[in-house]
Amino acid sequence: MMTIKTTNLGFPRLGRKREWKKAIEGYWNKNINKEALDKQLEVLHRDNLKLQSSYNLDSVPVGDFSLYDNLLDTALLFNIIPERFQGREIDDDLLFDIARGNKEHVASALIKWFNTNYHYIVPEWDNVVPKLNHNTLLERYRFALSLGINAHPVIVGPITFVALSKGGTSSFEEKVRQLIPLYTEVFHSLIQEGAELIQVDEPILVTDQAEVLKDITHEVYEAFNDAKVADKLIIQTYFEAADVKFLNGLPVKGLGLDFVHDRGNNLKQILAGDLSGDKTLFAGVIDGRNVWAADVALKQQLIEKLSEHVEDLYINPSSSLLLVPVSLEDETLDEQIKDGLSFATEKLGELEALKNLFNNNNATQFNKLKSKYETFQNQSFKNLEYNYNIPDQRSSTFEVRKVLQQQRWNLPDLPTTTIGSFPQSKEVRQYRADWKNHRITDEVYKQFLKDEIKRWIDIQEEIGLDVLVHGEFERNDMVEFFGEKLQGFLVTKYGWVQSYGSRAVKPPIIYGDVKWTHPLTIDETVYAQGLTNKPVKGMLTGPVTILNWSFERVDIPREVVQNQIALAINEEVLALEKAGIKIIQVDEPALREGLPLRSEFHKDYLDKAVHSFKLATSSVADDTQIHTHMCYSQFGQIIHAIYDLDADVISIETSRSHGDLIQDFEDINYNLGIGLGVYDIHSPRIPTEAEVTNAIERALKQIDRSLFWVNPDCGLKTRKEEEVKEALKVLVTSTQKIRNQ
């Protein structure tokens, strides 16, 4: 029997205790200098490489480690620099400014990485001259070699890179052709240094675009073959099935395929003989984007099937492990549940157990994992309860509701509001940590929250906002907060996952039936409403987002869990309404994120998502105004589903897309309330009055003035207090001037 080899596609850069995040933010806040930043990150990178190597991987990835984002790294490598940032030295400060913006220039757009909650920085091609800059990939490969680690470089492939870019006057093909000699030069440098494998990530080739990209893909890899580098390249795909027969025809060493999220289609193609014997297969057999332990017995059967059809087989996670937490080692969880979990480090252990089983006939690790999995599967919390009989349609049309809601609140022209959260200052985080660790009493903590809520109600009143929020100071994260309070969720202590830049989230784990057992947000919201005559929004997270931003169960259909969550959120919506809160925002920023990568599956997903949102929101009275919010994504594909949500007001990001989203509304008669985010909250820069005014005026060319709201593009929890105050003053001043025109 053949020897099974193991590898990895990428490892979380955050660190077990978010050391990466703390170092990066320490540099941004000028608490450490560049030398200290480099030293701290080098230690973390070294530890990541050594950790992976300790699991006897035959090859460890390098190039996955980044100061911000891998697509941005690739853009800087090839000089694809936004025009407004050109002319500067290519260094880390430039990288950070492109990603975050600075006082002079807005940041580049931020978009979800396929159907995940990770965000990438969109490369911009306007007036660029592609060339090879400082070869950081070669440096990182040399670093691994210096540690005695057998490594393979990882880079985003040219087809995917250009497909995820924007701007420029050249055609897609012309852009790709400009990059061919630059990629070739990088590949040559790595091969000369000793690289035997180079992982070229081309996930775009599992999407609908793959069909129209076949000609240019073939051209690119034939060019690499002519340059004598293709025999070291592995075309790596993930998140869906690829066209194996097409990829097999490319002159590369091997293919990387996802055998977890492929709906069984990659396996069918392998069994049909679509992969030739001279190709190496990198089989993604361990789930790279969820935290449940692998059914190693099932994986054993899969590997046996694959080994009958390929001569050179690597097994690895289905995608980069960037999408899961680092380690279970520091978690203090119920052992019954913990046995059923597997974070990034444990997934490497699963690969090692399978490798030892096949190569050494050593079943010790394998049997231990198999026993744990079987025990976990027999737990009583796997029972499923799912019954509902509530409305999934509002009782009246928006035209009727709009009149009643305006009679109730008498809001001004172009009402102003925020998305929900205000700065989570060091003091806020410290009080919450002290309360959770029983260092202060419930009474002390509740009084602190009241003081902070009152302070920010007063600030909002002074600035002149029309619809206020309580600030969400009691919440650590918009999904984790609900995971802590709803039955059926498990919240970890260190299960952090990178979302964008230094922003990390801690997704809860759905392990049992989801139920609402008590009010979740009533106390803080009602208290805030009692401080002002202006309306205060109730702030909730919607069922689609809670599901997409949690690690969901994989043993039952997603829509069943999603509808369970919807029923729980509906209970909270009705509790808020009963308490007198008549504007309620149910955020769904992840609705677009969960969209399947193949259009044939879109309708089913969107129908179920819309149904769940309506289950959560449709039971309210006509004069209760339902808001929702969505952030960084490409919305054109789902604009009709957004309309079908029937939310009275949707707030949506347009600042980083520089207003491009407005074009999506030209194709649909969108006659519901809408707020387009008029400034970028993820950048520390304060928007100018002209920028905000232009954003509003551009939107009003496409959207009826009576439907339009003015707001930032997302919550403000990550910003500093003075930044928030100054930016909101600009927002309100600009709006008031347009009202007076």
Side-chain angles (χ1 to χ4, degrees), residues 388 390-394 610-616 618-619 644-645:
Y388 69 90
I390 63 172
D392 64 352
Q393 299 285 340
R394 295 292 291 272
V610 169
H611 175 65
S612 293
F613 181 84
K614 287 184 169 183
L615 281 181
S618 294
S619 300
D644 290 342
L645 295 176

Coordinates of all heavy atoms in Angstrom, one line a residue, residues 388 390-394 610-616 618-619 644-645:
Y388 N -43.2 25.0 15.7 CA -43.5 26.4 15.7 C -44.9 26.6 15.0 O -45.2 25.9 14.1 CB -42.4 27.3 15.1 CG -42.3 27.1 13.6 CD1 -43.0 27.9 12.7 CD2 -41.4 26.2 13.1 CE1 -42.9 27.7 11.4 CE2 -41.3 26.0 11.7 CZ -42.0 26.8 10.9 OH -41.8 26.6 9.5
I390 N -46.1 30.3 14.3 CA -46.1 31.8 14.4 C -46.1 32.4 13.0 O -45.7 31.7 12.0 CB -45.0 32.3 15.2 CG1 -43.6 32.0 14.5 CG2 -45.0 31.8 16.6 CD1 -42.4 32.7 15.2
P391 N -46.5 33.6 12.8 CA -46.5 34.3 11.5 C -45.1 34.4 10.9 O -44.1 34.6 11.6 CB -47.1 35.6 11.8 CG -47.7 35.6 13.1 CD -47.0 34.6 13.9
D392 N -45.1 34.3 9.6 CA -43.8 34.6 8.9 C -44.1 35.7 7.8 O -43.3 35.9 6.9 CB -43.2 33.4 8.2 CG -44.1 32.8 7.1 OD1 -45.2 33.2 7.0 OD2 -43.6 31.9 6.4
Q393 N -45.2 36.5 8.1 CA -45.5 37.7 7.2 C -46.0 38.8 8.1 O -46.8 38.5 9.1 CB -46.5 37.3 6.2 CG -46.2 36.3 5.2 CD -45.2 36.7 4.2 OE1 -45.0 37.9 3.9 NE2 -44.5 35.8 3.5
R394 N -45.6 40.0 7.9 CA -46.2 41.2 8.6 C -47.7 41.3 8.2 O -48.1 40.9 7.1 CB -45.5 42.5 8.3 CG -44.0 42.6 8.7 CD -43.8 42.6 10.2 NE -44.3 43.8 10.8 CZ -43.5 44.9 10.9 NH1 -42.3 45.0 10.5 NH2 -44.0 46.0 11.5
V610 N -34.6 34.0 4.3 CA -35.7 35.0 4.4 C -36.8 34.4 5.3 O -37.3 35.2 6.2 CB -36.3 35.3 3.0 CG1 -37.6 36.1 3.1 CG2 -35.3 36.1 2.2
H611 N -37.1 33.2 5.2 CA -38.2 32.6 6.1 C -37.8 32.7 7.5 O -38.6 33.1 8.4 CB -38.4 31.1 5.7 CG -39.3 30.4 6.6 ND1 -40.6 30.7 6.7 CD2 -39.1 29.4 7.5 CE1 -41.2 29.9 7.6 NE2 -40.3 29.1 8.0
S612 N -36.5 32.4 7.9 CA -36.1 32.5 9.2 C -36.1 33.9 9.8 O -36.6 34.1 10.9 CB -34.6 32.0 9.4 OG -34.6 30.6 9.1
F613 N -35.7 34.9 9.0 CA -35.8 36.3 9.4 C -37.2 36.7 9.7 O -37.5 37.4 10.7 CB -35.2 37.2 8.4 CG -35.2 38.7 8.8 CD1 -34.1 39.2 9.5 CD2 -36.2 39.5 8.4 CE1 -34.1 40.5 9.9 CE2 -36.2 40.8 8.7 CZ -35.2 41.3 9.5
K614 N -38.1 36.3 8.8 CA -39.5 36.6 9.0 C -40.1 35.9 10.2 O -41.0 36.5 10.9 CB -40.3 36.3 7.7 CG -40.0 37.3 6.6 CD -40.9 37.0 5.4 CE -40.8 38.1 4.4 NZ -41.7 37.8 3.2
L615 N -39.7 34.7 10.5 CA -40.1 34.1 11.7 C -39.7 34.9 12.9 O -40.5 35.0 13.9 CB -39.5 32.7 11.8 CG -40.1 31.5 11.0 CD1 -39.4 30.2 11.3 CD2 -41.6 31.3 11.3
A616 N -38.6 35.5 12.9 CA -38.0 36.2 14.0 C -38.7 37.6 14.2 O -38.7 38.1 15.3 CB -36.5 36.4 13.9
S618 N -41.9 38.9 12.3 CA -43.2 39.3 11.7 C -44.3 39.3 12.7 O -45.4 39.7 12.3 CB -43.5 38.3 10.6 OG -42.6 38.4 9.5
S619 N -44.1 38.9 13.9 CA -45.2 38.9 14.9 C -45.5 40.2 15.5 O -46.5 40.4 16.2 CB -44.8 37.9 16.0 OG -44.6 36.6 15.5
D644 N -37.2 41.0 0.1 CA -38.1 40.0 0.6 C -38.1 39.9 2.1 O -39.1 39.4 2.7 CB -37.9 38.6 0.0 CG -38.2 38.5 -1.5 OD1 -39.0 39.4 -2.0 OD2 -37.7 37.6 -2.2
L645 N -37.1 40.4 2.8 CA -37.0 40.4 4.2 C -38.2 41.2 4.8 O -38.6 41.0 5.9 CB -35.7 40.9 4.7 CG -34.4 40.1 4.5 CD1 -33.2 40.8 5.0 CD2 -34.5 38.7 5.1

